[in-house]
Amino acid sequence: MRLFLSAGEASGDAYAARLVRSIRQRRPDLEVQAVGGTRLFEAGVEPIADSRSWGALGILEALKVAPRVYSGYRKAVRALQSGPPGLFIPVDFGYMNVKLCRQARARGWKVLYFIPPGSWRRDQQGADLPEITDALVTPFSWSADLLRQAGAQAHWFGHPLVQMVSESPPPPERRARQIALLPGSRTHEIEHNLPVIAQAVRGLADQVEFAVASNVDPADLQRLWAAHQGPEPALWTQGDPYGVLQRSQAALLCSGTATLESALCECPCVVMYRGSRWMEFEYRIRKPKFSYIALPNLLLDEPVVPERIQHDAHPEQLRRDLAPLLDANSSERRHQQDAFARLRTILGPATAFDQSADLAVSLLDSIQQTSSGIA
């Protein structure tokens, strides 16, 4: 019986790897292939394409990685075409995975979409998802409601990060003057964010600790940090973002999944994003309609954590935002912690992977029954 997963960026790769472990506990006999990165490959799947360098935000950056993504897409299509169909599980990354869903369904595969694209939106979900999937698992309750209304077999089992954080080792004691740094997982994010971060935290903390993304080479990050005279002592930790956040007094991080991880780890944070001049020009032309960029702010629809974008993300402003978060008794710190407690209730139970694995096994069983009937 075949299982094929497709994850395009670091967060999706981590989700997919955790899901594979749960499914294999129930069905150890599976042949598992994947498009993914470090975490999935460490889980022992057969690699079809390596997505570690695919992450991009904005049209120009997407064009830079498009040839690599297209090459991976063609490899995935060939894998789906070869041999008997099984269960295809795309994880987020709608740019490629929606197309792969169509390819898989056309060749008789069952499709379980884990974290459909744009699931955080409260006004709309992908209109084509019901026709190209057999089931969906979404991280937000309202997303499941909207997808069901559109005719999809949608499920909400809680946000997967809730289970991942709950399974991490017991929280260590916080280091009073340590700042966690998460500059992003995409190359262009790191290149633009890290120089500003180096200036912002200089002299502010006794120690900084990087939570290095799984697709990033720590040596490259260390060289860039040294080139911009980042303060020492600095710690470099890969594979344990929750530990880094749980033992730090505050965090300075790039917008993305890390903002929700920081909230679940009860680490007050400042969110930033710097990009190229072209990205800023593109942003002004497209004028996307959103009030916030940080997930805690989006989900609660209020300014829970400071957001600093482009020119607002300058070292002096970031220092002003971070300083009160290092004070254990500050009102700014208490405000974030109170909001994080409310956010935790929105994100649901710590069962996303267990229940998703049960759903995946039921789909695999239906495939097997159908194949037996045809035989």
Side-chain angles (χ1 to χ4, degrees), residues 345-369:
T345 64
I346 292 176
L347 297 178
T351 62
F353 294 106
D354 295 335
Q355 294 197 65
S356 296
D358 290 339
L359 177 59
V361 169
S362 70
L363 289 169
L364 287 164
D365 289 342
S366 70
I367 297 168
Q368 201 161 25
Q369 290 167 7

Side-chain angles (χ1 to χ4, degrees), residues 275-342:
S276 66
R277 292 181 178 177
W278 175 261
M279 288 183 69
E280 182 176 0
F281 175 72
E282 180 186 326
Y283 171 84
R284 294 183 183 279
I285 293 296
R286 296 173 65 191
K287 295 181 179 178
K289 296 179 181 179
F290 51 76
S291 301
Y292 305 107
I293 64 168
L295 280 169
N297 295 354
L298 279 166
L299 298 179
L300 292 173
D301 195 26
E302 61 181 88
V304 173
V305 301
E307 297 181 349
R308 306 302 175 191
I309 307 173
Q310 283 298 85
H311 302 296
D312 287 337
H314 58 81
E316 293 78 14
Q317 180 61 60
L318 296 174
R319 289 173 68 87
R320 286 195 292 270
D321 292 332
L322 277 169
L325 300 182
L326 294 172
D327 179 354
N329 299 312
S330 70
S331 60
E332 291 88 348
R333 186 178 181 86
R334 288 197 302 271
H335 170 71
Q336 289 201 28
Q337 290 173 329
D338 290 344
F340 292 165
R342 288 186 285 123

Side-chain angles (χ1 to χ4, degrees), residues 26-43:
R26 293 156 174 79
R27 290 291 299 269
D29 59 320
L30 291 174
E31 173 192 343
V32 186
Q33 299 172 305
V35 173
T38 303
R39 298 286 185 86
L40 261 173
F41 299 157
E42 287 176 349

Side-chain angles (χ1 to χ4, degrees), residues 268-279:
C269 64
V270 176
V271 178
M272 65 170 295
Y273 202 94
R274 292 289 293 253
S276 66
R277 292 181 178 177
W278 175 261
M279 288 183 69

Side-chain angles (χ1 to χ4, degrees), residues 169-192:
E173 184 177 346
R174 292 197 186 275
R175 299 166 181 164
R177 299 294 299 180
Q178 175 169 299
I179 297 176
L181 301 179
L182 292 83
S185 61
R186 304 176 179 104
T187 300
H188 63 87
E189 291 174 340
I190 295 171
E191 289 175 348
H192 289 286

